Amino acid sequence: MCGIFFSISTNNTPPTEETKSLLEKRGPDCCQTHTVHKEIPAQDAVSQPLSHHLTFISTVLSLRGDHIYEQPLVDPATESVLCWNGEAWKISNERVQGNDTQQVFRLFLNAVDCDRKKALCGFSDAVSSITGPFAFVFYDAVNSRVFFSRDCLGRRSLLQGVDEDGAFKVCSLCDGSPSTVFEEVGTNGVYMVDLGRQPDLLSASCGRYQIETLPWTSESSPPEGHIKSPIPAMNMSTPETQPPPLTVNTKAIEELQSRLQQSLALRIENVPEPPFYVIGQSAKVAVLFSGGLDCTLLARLSHDIIPPDEPIDLLNVAFENPRVAAAAAAAAAAASSAIKDLNSSPSLATAIYEACPDRMTGRSAFAELQKTCPERIWRFVAINIPYAETLAHRDQVKRLMRPHNTEMDLSIAYALYFASRGQGMCYSSSDPKSPEDNYTTSARILLSGLGADELFAGYGRHGVSFNRSGFEGLIAEIHLDVSRLGQRNLGRDDRVLSHWGRETRFPFLDEDFVAWTLRVPVWEKCGFGLAEPDTRSDENDSAVRTGIDAEKMALRLVALRLGLTTVAREKKRAIQFGARTAKMEKGRTKGTDALS
């Protein structure tokens, strides 16, 4: 994980000190600045020379290779520059070994080492060859072009804006005052600023600089100047007859487990030791853990990949919601006059956290992981957040999630922010009777189950669509979800989660995994419209499947294959309700209401 800042203007434009400090939180291992003064000669007798000041800042969280690779990278021969915030798991379908930043830089330099016209095609091909999440700024000094982009699924934060003085900025965070116009960099392609353009040709919408787009396309042979998307068209076929039931032994379920494990392995193998690492005691990987199906499945599969002597931390967050706490205190006070509020009864305070839906499912899933994988040290980190602490961090969370600014944004961001901090009471399977207070996870890699609901029909509205319009309606709803993944809130989540110097990885959003899932027919991903198992021919399988919901049935059956019988039956629950960050204050606020 890294932080990026870039500006281009007629004079040097560094970020605010606050922005630089927040970037260093994202990348605590290194922070460097590089500046370029570029003079563009006049193109004809009536034109004026152009003078540009380019500022590049990168902060680094070192997670690849055997040492810290400082950024920005600068090529001494051409003076080209790269700021890279990403994980190139593969290049041209070959797994990247060691540090990916230097390999990406060489890839880009080779792509533009030709005439200007061919350089655009070469750069498009270079970007399309990368598998993994990314955001970057690349300055092609030879051709006087600046490229910047996020991957087509938007898994890394990158914002763009124009400040009050007309400087154009690209940054992992919003820079400047709230009045500065910043927006998420789109996920429609790679964006380019050609520094050689004359002022009378430039677009006023981006200050002095016109932005051109090299768009993503799903076509197998992209037109010139387009970038081949790794996400194929979805399989829109509907069954001619009622599909057979899914079982734990269905070939598609076996392959799903294998594909998900491959995606996960890319993200958790060969993780470098975090600072102050102690063998057998420190965790390299932690899971954002609600106890639900998706995150528990990732935890269970991680057990088969991570060396057995490494603990795995399960980060489970619960909040003191004043409305819920007041009701609980009133009920307790009715039984005991000594209890006036939450602060006067530590046992009541504990009960409030333990009654959070995600805490209850988290405890249950923790027990099931211990049962299925007893040789692993599992550590359940109970992160309890008092309301006073929530308020103390409110401005910081709002600052990080900008330009998002609704009540729902804030309630989700709270949960992610404190979960990523990773501080709480630690219950270890190696010593269950002696929990450790004030524990902070050492893991720099966090795993998230995000993406599973969109790909495998995990939302209630998927069932509604099937009931209304059959397979056609269900397919249309899934297609809508997948098509807008890049426009969802992954940028917001990245800004909040990365604040504590940790990187979140999304195995369900691996390009190869997404592509495979989209090619699979819908009736092999969820249980809507399937025939019931024949109890006469497979009595045991029918019994095992009892209580398995149609939503995400394929993933539920993988969980059953792995021994997670309780987790396989867990219902979908939004994070803000599971952790109780929604509707903390009294009133009629809606999730879509703007914050003051």
Side-chain angles (χ1 to χ4, degrees):
M1 177 59 62
C2 302
I4 292 173
F5 174 86
F6 166 75
S7 70
I8 177 172
S9 62
T10 55
N11 49 50
N12 188 28
T13 308
T16 65
E17 286 301 316
E18 179 194 25
T19 298
K20 188 175 180 182
S21 175
L22 292 175
L23 291 173
E24 290 173 343
K25 290 281 190 179
R26 293 173 60 93
D29 295 333
C30 171
C31 177
Q32 289 196 145
T33 300
H34 179 74
T35 58
V36 173
H37 181 211
K38 185 73 173 181
E39 292 285 349
I40 305 294
Q43 296 180 359
D44 51 50
V46 296
S47 300
Q48 296 295 320
L50 296 177
S51 179
H52 302 289
H53 290 265
L54 287 70
T55 300
F56 303 85
I57 297 177
S58 281
T59 63
V60 176
L61 176 70
S62 181
L63 295 172
R64 303 285 292 275
D66 57 2
H67 66 278
I68 296 172
Y69 289 80
E70 298 178 343
Q71 291 194 52
L73 295 183
V74 181
D75 179 46
T78 64
E79 300 184 351
S80 295
V81 183
L82 175 66
C83 298
W84 171 259
N85 173 25
E87 299 290 355
W89 302 120
K90 300 176 185 176
I91 295 178
S92 298
N93 214 32
E94 293 292 328
R95 186 165 178 175
V96 173
Q97 303 294 335
N99 184 263
D100 60 322
T101 307
Q102 290 199 330
Q103 295 189 45
V104 169
F105 195 31
R106 287 196 295 269
L107 177 72
F108 287 176
L109 290 174
N110 291 335
V112 299
D113 186 20
C114 53
D115 65 63
R116 281 176 62 84
K117 185 175 181 180
K118 290 182 179 179
L120 283 181
C121 295
F123 193 76
S124 299
D125 292 342
V127 173
S128 66
S129 71
I130 298 172
T131 299
F134 61 75
F136 69 81
V137 174
F138 172 64
Y139 170 49
D140 172 12
V142 175
N143 297 299
S144 301
R145 291 166 171 160
V146 176
F147 299 91
F148 61 96
S149 182
R150 303 162 69 198
D151 67 82
C152 63
L153 294 176
R155 290 164 290 182
R156 290 287 180 263
S157 171
L158 200 63
L159 304 168
Q160 66 181 60
V162 179
D163 72 9
E164 295 86 347
D165 298 322
F168 178 66
K169 300 178 180 180
V170 178
C171 189
S172 300
L173 303 150
C174 282
D175 180 56
S177 67
S179 62
T180 302
V181 179
F182 262 89
E183 60 185 4
E184 304 271 4
V185 170
T187 54
N188 299 320
V190 172
Y191 302 93
M192 181 188 74
V193 177
D194 191 335
L195 302 183
R197 285 189 179 272
Q198 291 298 314
D200 59 339
L201 300 176
L202 302 184
S203 168
S205 62
C206 297
R208 304 176 180 89
Y209 308 101
Q210 179 179 350
I211 297 177
E212 300 178 40
T213 305
L214 308 176
W216 295 102
T217 178
S218 58
E219 296 181 33
S220 56
S221 298
E224 187 174 299
H226 287 59
I227 303 171
K228 190 178 187 315
S229 171
I231 309 303
M234 181 178 168
N235 185 341
M236 308 291 280
S237 61
T238 57
E240 296 180 359
T241 60
Q242 187 178 31
L246 288 174
T247 73
V248 292
N249 296 318
T250 299
K251 183 178 179 180
I253 303 304
E254 296 177 358
E255 187 170 4
L256 168 58
Q257 179 178 336
S258 174
R259 295 272 184 169
L260 184 55
Q261 191 149 1
Q262 291 172 32
S263 169
L264 187 58
L266 281 174
R267 288 157 173 80
I268 61 175
E269 287 181 340
N270 304 316
V271 174
E273 295 177 358
F276 312 110
Y277 182 78
V278 179
I279 296 176
Q281 297 182 32
S282 302
K284 295 181 182 179
V285 175
V287 184
L288 298 173
F289 193 72
S290 66
L293 171 66
D294 312 325
C295 60
T296 310
L297 197 52
L298 294 180
R300 172 61 187 82
L301 289 171
S302 296
H303 166 73
D304 296 332
I305 302 170
I306 293 175
D309 61 338
E310 291 183 17
I312 298 177
D313 287 356
L314 310 171
L315 308 180
N316 181 274
V317 66
F319 286 75
E320 176 198 343
N321 186 307
R323 297 186 305 107
V324 177
S336 173
S337 58
I339 296 178
K340 296 180 180 180
D341 56 30
L342 198 64
N343 295 327
S344 66
S345 174
S347 61
L348 178 59
T350 300
I352 289 294
Y353 298 121
E354 292 300 312
C356 277
D358 279 1
R359 177 59 50 81
M360 292 188 287
T361 55
R363 293 276 190 195
S364 174
F366 175 46
E368 195 157 40
L369 286 170
Q370 293 178 80
K371 180 181 177 181
T372 56
C373 310
E375 64 275 29
R376 170 75 58 186
I377 296 178
W378 299 99
R379 292 197 292 228
F380 184 85
V381 185
I383 302 167
N384 299 333
I385 309 299
Y387 183 56
E389 189 169 10
T390 302
L391 290 180
H393 288 260
R394 178 184 173 91
D395 288 344
Q396 179 75 290
V397 176
K398 286 175 63 178
R399 171 68 174 83
L400 291 170
M401 72 185 200
R402 280 171 43 199
H404 293 259
N405 190 47
T406 69
E407 292 286 348
M408 182 179 292
D409 288 319
L410 185 61
S411 62
I412 294 172
Y414 275 147
L416 298 177
Y417 175 86
F418 285 106
S420 176
R421 187 174 68 169
Q423 295 178 4
M425 180 76 75
C426 178
Y427 299 82
S428 175
S429 58
S430 64
D431 189 10
K433 294 184 178 180
S434 302
E436 179 183 347
D437 198 6
N438 296 321
Y439 172 84
T440 300
T441 184
S442 58
R444 286 183 151 193
I445 302 298
L446 306 179
L447 295 177
S448 167
L450 196 146
D453 291 307
E454 289 80 2
L455 292 170
F456 292 90
Y459 295 115
R461 52 185 164 76
H462 292 120
V464 172
S465 296
F466 178 80
N467 292 334
R468 285 177 178 170
S469 307
F471 281 104
E472 291 86 354
L474 175 61
I475 291 169
E477 192 70 25
I478 296 174
H479 181 263
L480 178 63
D481 282 332
V482 173
S483 65
R484 63 187 181 188
L485 272 171
Q487 285 77 49
R488 298 296 289 272
N489 301 309
L490 285 167
R492 175 202 66 195
D493 297 349
D494 176 79
R495 291 189 291 279
V496 172
L497 287 162
S498 302
H499 180 69
W500 302 106
R502 311 188 202 279
E503 177 174 288
T504 308
R505 297 178 175 175
F506 306 96
F508 287 104
L509 292 180
D510 176 85
E511 291 95 330
D512 291 339
F513 182 79
V514 172
W516 175 82
T517 305
L518 292 180
R519 288 192 292 265
V520 171
V522 69
W523 56 90
E524 292 185 356
K525 293 185 279 195
C526 52
F528 297 107
L530 304 188
E532 289 297 320
D534 186 348
T535 56
R536 294 170 298 177
S537 62
D538 200 350
E539 198 169 312
N540 290 332
D541 185 70
S542 179
V544 167
R545 277 177 34 125
T546 301
I548 300 296
D549 287 344
E551 291 87 353
K552 296 190 291 191
M553 179 175 281
L555 292 176
R556 297 179 186 281
L557 293 175
V558 172
L560 285 180
R561 285 172 59 86
L562 296 169
L564 304 173
T565 57
T566 301
V567 169
R569 293 168 171 81
E570 283 297 340
K571 306 290 184 183
K572 163 68 182 174
R573 184 170 51 243
I575 186 172
Q576 65 268 35
F577 300 113
R580 285 185 173 163
T581 56
K583 295 185 179 295
M584 285 196 171
E585 288 85 20
K586 293 180 181 180
R588 297 179 177 272
T589 58
K590 299 178 181 178
T592 54
D593 288 348
L595 298 168
S596 58

